[in-house]
Amino acid sequence: MKKNVPKIAVVGKPNVGKSTLINRICSSTEAIVHKQPMITRDRKYYNSDWNGIEFYILDTGGIDLKSGERLSSQIFLQTKKAIEESDLIIFLVDLKEPLSPLDEEIANILRKIEKPIIFTGNKWDSDMSSYFTEDYLKIGFGYPICVSAIQGLNIGDLLDEVVLSIKKLKKLTILEDEVDKDIPNISILGQPNVGKSTLFNKIIKEDRVIVDEVEGTTRDTIDSIIAIGNDKFKFIDTAGLKKNKIKEEELEYYSKIRTIKAIEKSDVCLILIDATREITNQDLKIVELCLEKGTSVCVIFNKVDLVKNDTLQKLILDFDKKLEFARFIPFLKISALKDIGINEIFGMIISNIVERNKKIPDNKLIELFKDLEQESAIYWKGKKFKIKFIKQIKTSPPLFFVFSNMDIKKKTNIKRFIEYSIRGKFGFTGTPLFFKYKY
């Protein structure tokens, strides 16, 4: 995240349209929108700009102070942190509903902070509709700026007010040379409840993500840039990837799509395995998905403090056996909760990034296969297989062009021979290799 860029928190009770408004401002569908309340739980940062002024906008969970649920109190704490670190607040209400005690309680909280408040009424979809605008004058913030997040009405007026408030703060954007796209993306993946959010919070040294024993607590992808020595990385916490169902709930579907998008833009995926459970096909499918998308992979066995050493070793051997198709993937053992083995993760990430960016000179590749051809020959229907030319044409992930004397696109044994030979000589630990074949 860039320094000296103003932060704006969007605050309000559940289901007033905070995520819809953010999607409209950012011209994206990054924030999950759903009729079910409390979908947004952690605070999440989105980058946007208006009239040449750049800012971050923070999506927050709906505040419900009367709910006795533990999750509601954790959402409130995340929203409170967002308010504390923001420069100004958009207080969003639903103009189609009358002023509620919850709106008044949120207003009382905001009155106590010494930050600009932009009072905004959402769902102003038509001048012909009936609204409770006058009702909201009771809370003392004046007339709200009336907008429709879903239709895009008056969003420009709201953003003009945002920019005006930023200018009054004298906190205009000072762009840095640092470009986020040059920072490696590291996604934390796994099935629900394996400890992804605990590890994420431990890595960034902040409770930015709600951790709860309830399955499916993380609904969206949350990211944070941290520095490790002279290196910077963007860590991404993701929703748990469940086994595919014939009938999948809409909310589960959107959470899964965002997790897959996170994988696609990642350089390295840390796949967490719960050491207290048996290995499942879903664990293997997550590994396969990451490799298909071209990301480097490290498998991390979490909660090792809860199992005996011989049980853990048996689990690792079992997983290694099932991962016969990807023996190049490294394993780590940690306890995110007890802070065991966390530092080893950073070393493994750096190693994986070095491996995926490795470029092998043409002469080294050609020399390797000439030597192999002399040592042992491969025949197909009496014809000796020969590589005429081989070249690495891309890194991150590595892609090789292979020109041979026969069509090998459907000859799995020959393709494996080529890949295993390259790995045996040049490594590429944790990284999938891709090939283009021609004859």
Side-chain angles (χ1 to χ4, degrees):
M1 189 181 300
K2 300 169 186 175
K3 295 178 182 177
N4 303 320
V5 177
K7 299 187 186 77
I8 304 159
V10 181
V11 175
K13 68 183 182 183
N15 267 17
V16 294
K18 296 183 293 298
S19 296
T20 305
L21 177 62
I22 286 173
N23 282 341
R24 178 64 64 178
I25 290 172
C26 299
S27 301
S28 73
T29 55
E30 283 293 311
I32 294 179
V33 177
H34 198 273
K35 61 185 177 182
Q36 183 179 327
M38 294 199 301
I39 296 307
T40 303
R41 295 172 174 184
D42 313 293
R43 65 191 194 279
K44 185 168 182 178
Y45 304 79
Y46 300 90
N47 185 249
S48 191
D49 65 90
W50 184 254
N51 288 342
I53 304 299
E54 188 178 15
F55 54 85
Y56 286 110
I57 189 158
L58 282 66
D59 195 9
T60 65
I63 300 174
D64 188 356
L65 300 173
K66 294 186 179 296
S67 174
E69 293 183 14
R70 179 185 168 195
L71 191 58
S72 293
S73 63
Q74 289 182 305
I75 291 171
F76 173 66
L77 289 174
Q78 290 292 318
T79 302
K80 188 179 177 184
K81 287 181 181 179
I83 292 170
E84 289 171 355
E85 66 180 273
S86 294
D87 299 290
L88 59 99
I89 314 295
I90 294 176
F91 176 24
L92 196 65
V93 297
D94 182 351
L95 293 178
K96 286 188 174 179
E97 293 184 358
L99 177 70
S100 70
L102 188 51
D103 290 312
E104 292 185 275
E105 288 189 50
I106 295 170
N108 288 335
I109 293 170
L110 295 178
R111 265 193 290 269
K112 295 174 184 176
I113 64 172
E114 296 181 358
K115 293 181 181 180
I117 309 293
I118 300 176
F119 186 36
T120 308
N122 190 27
K123 306 187 183 180
W124 183 275
D125 302 324
S126 167
D127 291 335
M128 306 300 293
S129 299
S130 177
Y131 300 101
F132 291 91
T133 310
E134 306 291 333
D135 205 24
Y136 283 94
L137 293 176
K138 298 175 187 176
I139 56 178
F141 287 112
Y143 278 97
I145 297 173
C146 300
V147 304
S148 171
I150 199 164
Q151 293 187 17
L153 299 177
N154 297 336
I155 300 299
D157 294 343
L158 171 60
L159 290 172
D160 285 341
E161 187 64 32
V162 166
V163 168
L164 181 62
S165 296
I166 290 173
K167 287 179 177 178
K168 286 179 181 177
L169 289 169
K170 295 181 180 179
K171 190 172 183 180
L172 296 179
T173 302
I174 301 173
L175 296 176
E176 296 182 316
D177 292 333
E178 172 187 290
V179 181
D180 285 2
K181 68 180 182 180
D182 294 332
I183 298 175
N185 290 322
I186 318 298
S187 284
I188 302 174
L189 302 165
Q191 295 194 62
N193 258 21
V194 294
K196 297 182 297 297
S197 295
T198 303
L199 177 60
F200 179 81
N201 286 339
K202 191 70 67 174
I203 286 171
I204 68 170
K205 294 180 169 55
E206 180 190 357
D207 290 334
R208 248 199 78 195
V209 179
I210 293 173
V211 179
D212 198 283
E213 64 270 15
V214 177
E215 184 180 290
T217 301
T218 301
R219 293 276 176 76
D220 211 339
T221 57
I222 308 294
D223 58 65
S224 190
I225 294 175
I226 71 163
I228 304 170
N230 295 323
D231 300 306
K232 290 184 178 179
F233 304 97
K234 181 188 283 185
F235 283 90
I236 306 167
D237 186 28
T238 64
L241 284 167
K242 297 181 180 180
K243 181 179 179 181
N244 288 337
K245 302 176 185 175
I246 295 174
K247 187 176 181 180
E248 196 167 36
E249 288 186 19
E250 184 183 14
L251 182 55
E252 287 182 349
Y253 170 76
Y254 286 121
S255 292
K256 184 174 75 175
I257 290 299
R258 278 161 173 75
T259 297
I260 292 172
K261 283 184 177 180
I263 294 171
E264 288 173 343
K265 66 181 182 181
S266 292
D267 297 279
V268 178
C269 287
L270 308 177
I271 301 176
L272 260 63
I273 305 293
D274 189 337
T276 66
R277 304 178 191 168
E278 293 292 324
I279 301 298
T280 67
N281 285 333
Q282 181 63 4
D283 293 316
L284 295 169
K285 285 180 180 177
I286 294 171
V287 174
E288 289 175 347
L289 176 62
C290 292
L291 296 178
E292 286 171 8
K293 300 296 182 182
T295 64
S296 297
V297 170
C298 177
V299 170
I300 300 177
F301 292 88
N302 190 27
K303 307 182 186 180
V304 297
D305 56 307
L306 301 178
V307 294
K308 294 180 179 178
N309 190 56
D310 56 344
T311 304
L312 178 61
Q313 292 306 317
K314 184 177 180 298
L315 185 75
I316 292 173
L317 286 171
D318 180 40
F319 197 50
D320 185 54
K321 186 177 180 181
K322 290 177 178 177
L323 265 185
E324 191 174 0
F325 63 91
R327 287 284 172 82
F328 54 88
I329 294 176
F331 292 170
L332 287 178
K333 297 176 283 185
I334 71 160
S335 170
L337 191 61
K338 300 291 184 180
D339 205 1
I340 298 170
I342 303 299
N343 288 335
E344 293 179 32
I345 294 174
F346 303 136
M348 185 59 70
I349 288 169
I350 293 169
S351 174
N352 275 12
I353 290 172
V354 169
E355 291 290 294
R356 72 184 282 104
N357 286 292
K358 188 184 289 183
K359 179 72 166 66
I360 311 302
D362 298 351
N363 63 320
K364 295 286 186 185
L365 287 167
I366 294 168
E367 184 182 323
L368 167 66
F369 285 97
K370 277 186 177 179
D371 292 343
L372 289 172
E373 189 181 323
Q374 292 174 0
E375 292 172 10
S376 59
I378 297 178
Y379 289 87
W380 180 262
K381 294 184 177 180
K383 185 178 180 181
K384 186 179 180 180
F385 169 71
K386 290 183 179 181
I387 289 180
K388 296 180 178 179
F389 181 74
I390 182 167
K391 178 183 179 68
Q392 185 178 351
I393 56 177
K394 183 179 172 293
T395 62
S396 192
L399 173 63
F400 296 86
F401 172 74
V402 180
F403 182 40
S404 66
N405 66 334
M406 62 178 71
D407 185 3
I408 59 171
K409 289 179 182 177
K410 295 182 180 180
K411 297 176 175 57
T412 304
N413 62 326
I414 296 179
K415 290 194 292 183
R416 281 178 180 167
F417 163 73
I418 295 170
E419 179 176 345
Y420 292 170
S421 297
I422 291 172
R423 289 191 183 280
K425 180 69 175 178
F426 303 110
F428 293 105
T429 303
T431 299
L433 303 183
F434 294 88
F435 296 87
K436 285 186 175 181
Y437 304 101
K438 189 175 181 181
Y439 73 102

